């Protein structure tokens, strides 16, 4: 079983829709959970960071962590064409390297 | 702009050759990380340096090596290149390990 599982997509949704992106993980030692956004031919950019179960909101983005189910989600409200990118979940244990998901390609259709 | 600078943006070379990728971290960041990104493997951690010393090793091949210099810039050396080494190579820097800032990457094409 891989440490981090993420559906590669592509996921296509119409502009204005709510997007849900998800990852599951197997390592119960993971404490820090991140979402990175990567545009084509660019480096990953940190989008959201959380270290506890529950929800964290930042503008149109909400990160959700359920440690009991080993499941994390990223929700994008009022999606825009500029949100089209690859979204990578990432997580780490204390003082350990970050493990990345393979990324989900998202297309927002105008 | 993340503040992390990588050069060159694109490298085209032949099998068996050796190349050097360069990374300048964000001002004040002591840690530098190298990652390889391919379509099938995703983003794979290679190696971390902290203030000139190797801190952690990931899935780095013996043909690959890295170093961090006193001015904190880092170089990743890839030798005896194979077709399968074609990938995007990213450098990241950080103050704390769980929040890393990535450069724009170097695209390596081995022909």
């Amino acid at each position: 079983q891989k440490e981090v599982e993420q559906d590669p997509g592509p996921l296509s949704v119409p502009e204005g829709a709510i997007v849900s992106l998800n990852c599951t993980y197997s390592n119960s030692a993971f404490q820090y959970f991140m979402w990175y956004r990567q545009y084509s031919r660019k480096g990953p950019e940190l989008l959201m960071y959380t270290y506890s179960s529950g929800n964290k909101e930042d503008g149109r983005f909400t990160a959700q962590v359920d440690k009991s189910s080993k499941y994390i989600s990223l929700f994008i409200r009022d999606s825009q064409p500029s949100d089209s990118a690859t979204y990578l979940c990432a997580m780490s244990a204390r003082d350990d390297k970050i493990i990345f998901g393979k990324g989900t390609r998202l297309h927002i259709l105008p | 702009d993340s503040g992390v600078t990588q050069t060159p943006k694109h490298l085209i070379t032949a099998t068996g050759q050796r190349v050097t990728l360069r990374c300048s971290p964000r001002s004040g960041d002591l840690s530098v990380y190298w990652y390889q990104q391919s379509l099938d493997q995703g983003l794979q951690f290679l190696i971390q340096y902290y203030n000139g010393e190797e801190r952690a090793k990931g899935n780095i091949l013996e043909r690959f090596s890295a170093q961090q210099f006193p001015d904190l810039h880092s170089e990743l050396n890839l030798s005896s290149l194979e077709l399968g080494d074609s990938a995007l190579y990213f450098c990241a820097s950080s103050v704390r390990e769980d929040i890393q800032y990535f450069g724009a990457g170097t695209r390596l094409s081995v022909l």
Side-chain angles (χ1 to χ4, degrees):
Chain A
Q1 183 183 12
K2 292 184 180 173
E3 278 194 290
V4 179
E5 300 267 12
Q6 184 175 12
D7 188 330
L11 178 64
S12 297
V13 299
E15 183 176 355
I18 295 175
V19 175
S20 172
L21 304 167
N22 311 295
C23 286
T24 59
Y25 63 95
S26 58
N27 189 346
S28 57
F30 286 149
Q31 297 183 29
Y32 306 105
F33 304 91
M34 291 75 76
W35 285 94
Y36 282 80
R37 179 175 61 194
Q38 186 175 16
Y39 290 113
S40 180
R41 299 185 177 275
K42 300 285 187 185
E45 168 196 11
L46 182 63
L47 201 57
M48 297 287 285
Y49 171 89
T50 183
Y51 56 87
S52 59
S53 281
N55 293 353
K56 180 177 180 179
E57 194 173 311
D58 184 0
R60 296 184 296 110
F61 299 90
T62 299
Q64 187 176 81
V65 175
D66 182 347
K67 288 186 178 179
S68 62
S69 301
K70 296 191 181 67
Y71 189 89
I72 70 170
S73 300
L74 177 70
F75 298 97
I76 307 174
R77 290 185 300 281
D78 187 24
S79 56
Q80 307 293 312
S82 59
D83 295 326
S84 297
T86 296
Y87 290 80
L88 302 119
C89 64
M91 45 201 82
S92 69
R94 187 178 177 84
D95 297 329
D96 201 357
K97 63 182 183 292
I98 296 177
I99 306 297
F100 287 84
K102 290 192 176 181
T104 299
R105 285 175 293 149
L106 174 65
H107 299 293
I108 306 298
L109 307 170
Chain B
D1 184 0
S2 67
V4 178
T5 304
Q6 286 188 249
T7 57
K9 285 188 169 50
H10 198 172
L11 260 178
I12 302 174
T13 188
T15 55
Q17 295 298 304
R18 172 188 168 95
V19 297
T20 297
L21 283 54
R22 183 188 169 100
C23 170
S24 294
R26 294 188 322 154
S27 177
D29 286 358
L30 300 179
S31 277
V32 169
Y33 310 78
W34 286 98
Y35 291 86
Q36 180 191 60
Q37 187 178 43
S38 60
L39 279 174
D40 56 341
Q41 293 295 320
L43 200 59
Q44 298 286 311
F45 168 70
L46 295 177
I47 196 164
Q48 177 198 358
Y49 275 81
Y50 178 83
N51 202 20
E53 299 290 325
E54 182 183 303
R55 172 69 70 92
K57 250 183 177 176
N59 302 322
I60 188 165
L61 299 172
E62 284 191 14
R63 300 183 285 108
F64 296 0
S65 65
Q67 52 185 329
Q68 187 179 27
F69 295 87
D71 67 351
L72 300 179
H73 92 270
S74 178
E75 293 180 355
L76 179 67
N77 301 295
L78 314 176
S79 61
S80 302
L81 285 166
E82 302 175 358
L83 294 176
D85 297 326
S86 296
L88 274 166
Y89 291 84
F90 288 104
C91 166
S93 75
S94 74
V95 171
R96 43 188 284 188
E97 287 198 30
D98 51 338
I99 298 181
Q100 298 179 16
Y101 297 88
F102 284 77
T106 294
R107 182 176 295 275
L108 175 66
S109 301
V110 183
L111 305 178

